[in-house]
Amino acid sequence: KNQVEQSPQSLIILEGKNCTLQCNYTVSPFSNLRWYKQDTGRGPVSLTIMTFSENTKSNGRYTATLDADTKQSSLHITASQLSDSASYICVVSAVNNNAGNMLTFGGGTRLMVKP
Amino acid sequence: NAGVTQTPKFQVLKTGQSMTLQCAQDMNHNSMYWYRQDPGMGLRLIYYSASEGTTDKGEVPNGYNVSRLNKREFSLRLESAAPSQTSVYFCASRFDRDSGNTIYFGEGSWLTVV
């Protein structure tokens, strides 16, 4: 069964500090991995996408890494801001097949940035 | 830029009542989805529509029905609501089911069944 596990479940950091969120997956055959940000009371919004051949991708203060061999990804947030307080969801796509959509969602990491 | 719009935002139902969640997207997307999100769990797929005129069951379809009314609209119906259906529901869409396409989510519908 395809699974996506995220850690930690929750995290509290001080404004200006860095943090790293982890995602481990057992999705096969792997197509891509996305990180989504979900603000409280809102829908998830895509931050970045990683394909099999990519091992690092940045989007502003967010940097995602992917190790396809160990099936791990991380999301590093630099110089955190209060607006970074949200849940971060790792979503792994399997290669398309006739069964249709093949997205597996992690349970998310809830980040709180305190002043 | 409306994107994916879903209504209602909040709803309280009594056990056994029925209701329909409405979803519309204005991005000319072919594929649309309904998910539910429960505390501590990842989003789970209820139903999806790969293209206009087709619908398929996802991971947790029991107790739900869907209608792809046209390319823009995809509704989710609870025929006889149960407390286990208390959840946050998200409608989503993407251009087509190619895994490289970004999936866009609505703002969510909070449903409580008492």
Side-chain angles (χ1 to χ4, degrees), chain A residues 34-99:
Chain A
R34 292 181 186 272
W35 283 95
Y36 280 81
K37 179 185 180 187
Q38 184 176 20
D39 292 315
T40 300
R42 309 293 294 272
V45 175
S46 180
L47 288 175
T48 184
I49 179 173
M50 308 283 290
T51 59
F52 186 86
S53 59
E54 298 173 306
N55 52 29
T56 303
K57 184 173 281 188
S58 292
N59 177 3
R61 294 179 296 101
Y62 301 103
T63 299
T65 65
L66 175 66
D67 185 333
D69 291 331
T70 62
K71 299 185 177 181
Q72 296 179 324
S73 176
S74 65
L75 181 69
H76 186 75
I77 304 174
T78 304
S80 61
Q81 300 176 358
L82 297 179
S83 60
D84 293 331
S85 295
S87 288
Y88 292 84
I89 302 172
C90 177
V91 185
V92 183
S93 291
V95 174
N96 288 337
N97 58 37
N98 289 332

Side-chain angles (χ1 to χ4, degrees), chain B residues 52-94:
Chain B
E52 184 179 356
T54 69
T55 60
D56 286 284
K57 295 179 180 179
E59 182 184 355
V60 287
N62 291 345
Y64 305 95
N65 285 302
V66 291
S67 295
R68 184 74 183 265
L69 303 170
N70 47 55
K71 190 171 185 179
R72 292 186 63 248
E73 298 173 290
F74 188 40
S75 63
L76 178 72
R77 182 160 178 84
L78 286 69
E79 291 291 353
S80 180
S84 61
Q85 294 178 304
T86 294
S87 188
V88 183
Y89 292 84
F90 287 97
C91 179
S93 72
R94 61 180 173 181

Side-chain angles (χ1 to χ4, degrees), chain A residues 31-32 34 36 42 96 99, chain B residues 37 48 97 99-100 103 107:
Chain A
S31 177
N32 60 63
R34 292 181 186 272
Y36 280 81
R42 309 293 294 272
N96 288 337
Chain B
Q37 186 176 38
Y48 67 98
R97 64 183 194 185
S99 61
I103 189 166
E107 293 293 273

Side-chain angles (χ1 to χ4, degrees), chain A residues 3-18:
Chain A
Q3 286 188 312
V4 176
E5 300 288 339
Q6 293 187 242
S7 62
Q9 281 193 324
S10 62
L11 183 62
I12 301 174
I13 62 174
L14 293 175
E15 187 178 12
K17 297 297 185 182
N18 304 336

